[in-house]
Amino acid sequence: SSVENGRPLDPADWAVIDVVNYFRTAGFEEQANAFQEQEIDGKSLLLMTRNDVLTGLSLKLGPALKIYEYHIKPLQTQHLKNSS
């Protein structure tokens, strides 16, 4: 599969470290570790609900909202478009 920044283009193919690096690159250095602790890989990321992000990762609310709205939700939308 095609690769960008060392990560597979399709988030479903991301390993936990790809997810962590994605959020580090996006400026969520501190929050990225939560994804590692919870062992969230690309497939898990695509299954996450808003509630999972806000309550399941023990993140501060501000960053959690941004992570969901500006990163996870768009990745999910894009993935659905590409796989349909």
Side-chain angles (χ1 to χ4, degrees):
S1 72
S2 31
V3 170
E4 180 186 31
N5 305 328
R7 275 192 303 275
L9 279 177
D10 186 348
D13 298 330
W14 292 0
V16 174
I17 194 63
D18 295 319
V19 173
V20 171
N21 287 336
Y22 172 83
F23 287 111
R24 284 197 179 130
T25 307
F28 296 102
E29 185 71 42
E30 199 183 320
Q31 290 77 20
N33 300 326
F35 288 87
Q36 192 153 30
E37 280 157 28
Q38 298 297 325
E39 295 175 20
I40 294 168
D41 62 7
K43 283 193 176 62
S44 303
L45 191 69
L46 292 172
L47 292 170
M48 288 184 88
T49 63
R50 186 173 187 270
N51 201 41
D52 291 330
V53 180
L54 297 189
T55 61
L57 296 171
S58 309
L59 300 176
K60 290 187 180 126
L61 186 58
L65 286 165
K66 289 178 195 152
I67 282 171
Y68 179 71
E69 286 296 325
Y70 301 134
H71 296 282
I72 297 178
K73 205 161 92 173
L75 285 170
Q76 291 172 338
T77 307
Q78 192 57 43
H79 178 73
L80 284 173
K81 266 188 212 144
N82 291 344
S83 42
S84 59

